């Protein structure tokens, strides 16, 4: 059995690297992570346009390079 201190599930939104058919989306993201005991962070495609949608996920936080680049 492997243990994980911080699970990371990605990509949640569309990025240049991941096309629309490879992303999880809000619904699949929540279904996969709903029974996880550890806190979950959302990664992949987080930007100014979809940051509001993170409130609809079961995440403790986000990781988004593009979001950070866009705010600077």
């Amino acid at each position: 059995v492997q243990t994980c201190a911080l699970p990371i599930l990605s990509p949640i939104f569309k990025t240049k690297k991941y096309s629309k058919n490879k992303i999880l989306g809000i619904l699949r993201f929540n279904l996969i992570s709903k029974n996880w005991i550890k806190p979950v962070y959302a990664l992949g495609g987080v930007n100014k346009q979809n940051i509001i949608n993170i409130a609809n996920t079961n995440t403790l936080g986000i990781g988004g390079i593009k979001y950070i680049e866009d705010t600077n």
Side-chain angles (χ1 to χ4, degrees), residues 8-55:
I8 298 172
L9 184 59
S10 104
I12 191 166
F13 299 113
K14 185 178 177 185
T15 65
K16 291 179 185 177
K17 184 176 178 181
Y18 297 103
S19 63
K20 186 159 178 87
N21 61 350
K22 301 224 180 193
I23 62 170
L24 292 170
I26 302 270
L27 182 61
R28 278 194 281 176
F29 182 90
N30 283 337
L31 287 172
I32 291 170
S33 64
K34 75 176 187 173
N35 292 324
W36 291 1
I37 297 169
K38 302 282 184 174
V40 180
Y41 288 81
L43 297 176
V46 179
N47 58 33
K48 286 182 182 179
Q49 288 76 32
N50 57 29
I51 190 76
I52 194 75
N53 294 327
I54 295 297

